[in-house]
Amino acid sequence: MKIKDYELFTVPPRWLFLKVKTDQGVSGWGEPVIEGKAATVKTAVIEMMDTIIGNNPMEIEGIWNELYRAGFYRGGPILMSAIAGIDQALWDIKGKYYDAPIHDLLGGKARESIKVYSWVGGDRPQDVGDAALKLKNEGISAVKMNATEELQYIDSYGKIDEVLARVSSIREKCGKDFGVGIDFHGRAHKAMAKILARELEQFRPMFIEEPVLPENNEHLKDIAMHTSIPIATGERMYSRWQFKNLLHDGYADIIQPDLSHAGGITECKKIISMAEAYDVAAAPHCPLGPIALAACLQVDATCHNAVIQEQSLGIHYNKGNDILDYIEDPSVFEYKDGKVQIPDQPGLGIDVNEDYVRERSRAGHNWKNPVWKHEDGSIAEW
Ligand SMILES: [Mg+2]
């Protein structure tokens, strides 16, 4: 079999889909995107795909190594997201060719289903208690929220109190056993992260996420000294070589590689299995589209340490176009008792609605994250 051709589709709300075609009529889908840089990743995908036309799509490890190692400069969000989407599409082709779900080809399922969580509160979190209760009534058992809005290096305790009030409102409405992940989103700097971590402990969250930016991961040790809340991070880390240092240091409890940013199924399976040896859990990052989510579930299925899956149904970014719109059978992503079943259909386990993809790609998107500023006019972390 040979890779013959490919197409790219920029679709709303903020995604990029890749269709890889073979000379035997089998094709596969991937989602190579970095939020806010879809066009840049698209260019990287074009550069990479043009070098592997004619390759055997079954040789995924060989192609992965060619895309990663044959480039003198490597890694980072753009190149690793491009590889990720290509890798997903190749796995989809392999699964369809063998009429098997990808998890079968990765060694087989270690679980039948996985817990999922939904987002509440949006970029500027508010009304999270009512939003969480609504989701709880729909059968969701865990949510994630942004902790804060802009936060200065040293900021007011009033802002800390606002965070506590919001988390408290979820506890009041949803009870003590409802899962709450609190995403610091890299908005906090070390000093405020320590205060937040200690003050949030009373609410027993599932985890705090990106308490500091990944480039400041050496501070996770300091933050871990102030709390027993599990520390999650990893959505802005892109390879085994970045995760090995995090795991070696020993202060992360949950890693969150993104199947569309960290080299795809091939790389994330290795990253998560490496974490298993450090007794660290995985919760793959996925505020993205249906192809990315399908890829996550295939890897979750085979990893003993995958504990919960992020998913974007109803997330604040997806207004107007959501994940179920782009697939033929939305029941694949049906959440029951807070969990989703691992799909057993061939390949990624979804049928992409290609007519709809083509129609929406005519609209496209130019999604960018907002630029936030502090009151003094300086740039704030978003
Ligand atoms: Mg996050």
Side-chain angles (χ1 to χ4, degrees):
M1 197 189 296
K2 286 192 168 80
I3 298 170
K4 192 178 79 178
D5 196 9
Y6 65 95
E7 280 183 271
L8 284 152
F9 304 94
T10 306
V11 293
R14 54 180 191 159
W15 305 331
L16 179 69
F17 293 169
L18 166 70
K19 183 182 183 184
V20 176
K21 305 171 195 177
T22 68
D23 62 349
Q24 294 189 21
V26 187
S27 54
W29 290 88
E31 190 172 330
V33 72
I34 272 284
E35 302 91 306
K37 293 278 185 289
T40 314
V41 177
K42 182 178 178 180
T43 301
V45 173
I46 291 169
E47 284 185 325
M48 289 183 186
M49 283 304 303
D50 288 346
T51 68
I52 61 169
I53 296 290
N55 283 32
N56 180 353
M58 294 295 158
E59 296 173 356
I60 298 174
E61 280 285 345
I63 291 173
W64 197 98
N65 276 284
E66 181 176 336
L67 296 177
Y68 182 80
R69 292 182 187 274
F72 185 77
Y73 297 99
R74 60 192 67 175
I78 303 303
L79 299 179
M80 295 307 279
S81 297
I83 293 176
I86 295 168
D87 180 84
Q88 292 165 2
L90 298 181
W91 276 106
D92 196 26
I93 289 169
K94 190 187 278 275
K96 286 172 179 164
Y97 178 81
Y98 287 114
D99 196 28
I102 292 164
H103 56 71
D104 258 3
L105 305 172
L106 288 172
K109 277 188 289 192
R111 60 171 46 77
E112 297 297 330
S113 62
I114 187 158
K115 194 169 169 175
V116 293
Y117 66 81
S118 296
W119 265 92
V120 288
D123 269 351
R124 296 185 177 281
Q126 53 187 331
D127 302 328
V128 291
D130 289 330
L133 182 60
K134 183 168 179 286
L135 287 164
K136 187 185 178 192
N137 291 336
E138 292 167 4
I140 289 289
S141 62
V143 295
K144 188 165 86 182
M145 57 181 282
N146 280 314
T148 68
E149 301 182 63
E150 297 90 336
L151 206 59
Q152 271 284 17
Y153 284 81
I154 303 297
D155 212 318
S156 75
Y157 281 90
K159 284 194 183 171
I160 300 284
D161 289 340
E162 288 170 15
V163 179
L164 302 182
R166 284 191 287 269
V167 179
S168 175
S169 74
I170 298 182
R171 274 284 164 264
E172 278 166 27
K173 302 214 173 195
C174 300
K176 68 181 178 57
D177 295 326
F178 191 73
V180 185
I182 303 171
D183 192 350
F184 288 19
H185 220 252
R187 290 172 189 173
H189 297 274
K190 181 176 71 157
M192 300 310 288
K194 286 191 295 186
I195 297 168
L196 266 174
R198 174 171 278 176
E199 297 271 356
L200 283 167
E201 183 137 343
Q202 60 185 303
F203 299 110
R204 296 179 171 176
M206 282 193 297
F207 55 78
I208 54 172
E209 175 173 321
E210 281 195 333
V212 289
L213 289 165
E215 51 265 47
N216 296 328
N217 270 348
E218 67 274 11
H219 297 322
L220 294 182
K221 178 179 183 181
D222 204 358
I223 291 158
M225 297 299 168
H226 288 78
T227 183
S228 63
I229 304 171
I231 293 174
T233 195
E235 70 186 67
R236 287 186 268 189
M237 298 171 68
Y238 311 106
S239 72
R240 276 166 282 170
W241 294 278
Q242 284 186 293
F243 277 96
K244 76 172 174 181
N245 296 322
L246 179 75
L247 293 166
H248 178 76
D249 291 345
Y251 298 102
D253 302 295
I254 304 171
I255 57 160
Q256 302 172 302
D258 186 307
L259 268 286
S260 279
H261 300 340
I265 290 170
T266 301
E267 185 70 357
C268 287
K269 166 73 175 163
K270 292 173 183 175
I271 291 168
I272 295 172
S273 292
M274 186 165 71
E276 185 185 351
Y278 287 87
D279 211 16
V280 168
H285 180 248
C286 192
L288 294 170
I291 302 169
L293 179 57
C296 289
L297 297 183
Q298 296 298 327
V299 172
D300 291 333
T302 70
C303 291
H304 185 262
N305 53 332
V307 290
I308 194 165
Q309 179 58 55
E310 179 173 27
Q311 58 78 37
S312 75
L313 192 61
I315 199 171
H316 42 290
Y317 308 115
N318 291 2
K319 298 268 181 303
N321 279 104
D322 214 324
I323 53 175
L324 302 182
D325 301 335
Y326 286 97
I327 54 175
E328 300 280 4
D329 177 9
S331 71
V332 177
F333 297 137
E334 208 163 81
Y335 309 135
K336 207 168 155 228
D337 302 327
K339 299 190 281 294
V340 63
Q341 286 296 120
I342 302 298
D344 281 325
Q345 295 88 336
L348 287 166
I350 53 169
D351 281 322
V352 174
N353 183 339
E354 189 168 332
D355 290 340
Y356 190 71
V357 170
R358 287 185 187 283
E359 184 209 314
R360 296 308 293 148
S361 73
R362 284 194 281 278
H365 71 80
N366 187 27
W367 189 87
K368 301 279 181 250
N369 66 248
V371 177
W372 281 6
K373 290 190 175 175
H374 295 296
E375 284 176 3
D376 64 3
S378 61
I379 293 288
E381 294 288 343
W382 171 72

